[in-house]
Amino acid sequence: MPDALLPFLLIGPVLLLLVGGIIGILVREQRRRLQQEREKHLLLEQQNERLEQQVQQRTADLQQSLDHLQATQRQLIQSEKLASLGELTAGVAHEIQNPLNFVLNFSEVSVELVQELKEEVLHQLPATTVAPAAELLQNLEDNLQRITQHGQRAGGIVQGMLLHARTSASERQPTNLNALTDQFLRLAYQGMRAKDKTFNVTIETHFALGMDPVSVAPQDIGRVLLNLFNNALYALRKRQQSQEPGYQPLLQVSTTECRDGQVEVRVRDNGPGIAAAVLDKIFQPFFTTKPTGEGSGLGLSISYDIVTQGHGGQLLCQTHEGVYTEFIVRLPA
Ligand code: ADP
């Protein structure tokens, strides 16, 4: 082989080595880039996931704020409606009172006139007409007495309605809320026992120890509590009368000093509970599910006014149909 070819023979492998080296470098570089790309991709995915979680969290927060706002709005509308209904009720009561007084006065005078007729005119009639005339006069007197009786009932309702107008005027004084609650609980229980001796109920009380006196109008808050106790006892008695096997009426009453500086009285009964459709209406004046003569439908409406307008508090109801009803009176301490 000529010497002149020797360098070419040597350059060949060197070139091969060089090209191989360059290709190796390029492949490594390519791998490094791929690795970098993968890492970037992973980082992006993690960031995306984090962002998505944040978005979900914010959306949940916003939804919660929206729900809260809507609930507050509903409550405000409800308060406004009830306040104007209360005013309307008081106005109507004033208007009714006057003609009602006439009805009562005239029916009472008419009873006296019938009695006078019976005493002074009846015996002057011919013997054959005395008996039918006496019977007619007796019927007339009975009817007039019924007019008086029902007029008086209507008068009681009107008085209840007028209490709406009076709720803000009562004077507040430092009051032992535990003692007040206990006093009206006993009153309600005795009232119920006087009506029905067979009615037995377990009463559990949990009064907050060492509670500071609360500034309230005691008669007004007493009235609210009495109404809540009466309703609870009525509900318990109703459920007991349905003779459900194993049913034990239970009334739970508690007072609490809350952390936000408010005080609470809770009245809970395991009566029939309140259906959702009824629950919307219980604070409206004249709404009642009780039979005629047993309820005026004014108790909760007056109580609502006393607690909210009279004391700047809240009157809330929680219930589960067929399980329990709980009313919560929340007052600023
Ligand atoms: P009334 O007692 O004259 O019916 P209220 O305003 O006190 O008037 O009550 C209105 C209605 O609320 C009742 O007729 C009843 O349907 C419902 N209610 C109140 N308290 C309870 C309770 N503890 N359990 C079940 N229903 C109740």
Side-chain angles (χ1 to χ4, degrees):
M1 184 173 35
D3 283 354
L5 285 177
L6 206 66
F8 290 105
L9 283 174
L10 281 173
I11 283 170
V14 171
L15 270 176
L16 268 174
L17 273 173
L18 234 130
V19 170
I22 289 169
I23 289 173
I25 289 170
L26 283 175
V27 167
R28 271 201 301 281
E29 180 62 16
Q30 188 66 13
R31 275 205 202 115
R32 199 179 57 81
R33 283 214 187 120
L34 268 172
Q35 181 66 18
Q36 267 183 348
E37 282 296 314
R38 245 183 256 134
E39 278 169 11
K40 255 195 224 163
H41 194 71
L42 207 72
L43 207 71
L44 266 174
E45 262 183 7
Q46 281 171 349
Q47 276 177 345
N48 270 348
E49 210 170 296
R50 222 175 300 140
L51 272 173
E52 212 160 292
Q53 275 173 358
Q54 279 177 352
V55 168
Q56 272 174 4
Q57 177 65 35
R58 298 271 149 80
T59 314
D61 288 351
L62 274 173
Q63 188 59 45
Q64 208 180 356
S65 307
L66 189 68
D67 288 348
H68 186 67
L69 265 173
Q70 281 172 340
T72 314
Q73 191 187 28
R74 272 199 300 274
Q75 213 175 343
L76 270 172
I77 294 172
Q78 175 82 340
S79 306
E80 280 297 313
K81 266 195 208 158
L82 288 171
S84 51
L85 262 175
E87 277 169 28
L88 181 75
T89 307
V92 171
H94 271 293
E95 295 303 318
I96 294 177
Q97 209 176 25
N98 207 20
L100 187 62
N101 282 342
F102 277 109
V103 171
L104 280 169
N105 289 344
F106 278 109
S107 66
E108 275 163 26
V109 170
S110 303
V111 170
E112 284 165 23
L113 288 177
V114 172
Q115 279 164 354
E116 239 176 82
L117 262 176
K118 281 207 285 195
E119 281 161 23
E120 290 175 23
V121 184
L122 205 58
H123 64 272
Q124 294 174 15
L125 293 174
T128 48
T129 48
V130 170
E135 197 186 327
L136 277 176
L137 283 175
Q138 191 52 50
N139 285 346
L140 193 59
E141 192 182 334
D142 290 348
N143 287 354
L144 286 167
Q145 254 149 10
R146 241 169 255 147
I147 291 175
T148 311
Q149 195 187 333
H150 289 280
Q152 278 163 350
R153 242 186 66 204
I157 296 171
V158 166
Q159 284 310 315
M161 288 161 78
L162 284 171
L163 271 172
H164 269 295
R166 206 186 57 75
T167 45
S168 51
S170 306
E171 223 174 85
R172 296 203 208 172
Q173 59 194 68
T175 305
N176 181 336
L177 197 62
N178 287 342
L180 189 78
T181 308
D182 195 41
Q183 178 194 344
F184 281 92
L185 176 60
R186 281 165 203 277
L187 209 67
Y189 180 66
Q190 279 155 13
M192 180 54 84
R193 289 279 300 177
K195 268 191 239 154
D196 180 0
K197 287 248 168 335
T198 62
F199 178 58
N200 277 309
V201 54
T202 308
I203 298 182
E204 280 178 11
T205 53
H206 295 281
F207 292 135
L209 289 172
M211 189 187 256
D212 289 325
V214 187
S215 171
V216 295
Q219 278 314 310
D220 288 352
I221 294 299
R223 192 184 156 86
V224 171
L225 294 173
L226 186 65
N227 182 56
L228 297 182
F229 297 145
N230 281 341
N231 278 346
L233 289 169
Y234 183 94
L236 290 170
R237 190 160 156 249
K238 268 272 125 57
R239 186 160 176 185
Q240 195 191 38
Q241 282 169 348
S242 69
Q243 306 206 315
E244 219 174 291
Y247 176 66
Q248 254 305 316
L250 173 66
L251 176 62
Q252 292 166 300
V253 179
S254 65
T255 59
T256 323
E257 270 182 305
C258 306
R259 285 212 193 108
D260 58 4
Q262 297 201 315
V263 290
E264 255 180 26
V265 183
R266 284 176 184 251
V267 181
R268 183 184 170 116
D269 65 74
N270 65 343
I274 305 175
V278 172
L279 189 62
D280 285 342
K281 304 190 196 113
I282 56 171
F283 294 113
Q284 289 175 8
F286 302 111
F287 176 78
T288 182
T289 54
K290 295 177 185 167
T292 321
E294 286 189 39
S296 64
L298 283 171
L300 283 179
S301 139
I302 292 176
S303 301
Y304 188 89
D305 273 9
I306 292 174
V307 174
T308 57
Q309 290 177 37
H311 290 81
Q314 286 173 291
L315 178 58
L316 310 165
C317 177
Q318 293 173 347
T319 180
H320 191 316
E321 214 185 339
V323 185
Y324 79 98
T325 303
E326 180 170 57
F327 280 91
I328 307 163
V329 181
R330 204 171 279 162
L331 299 164

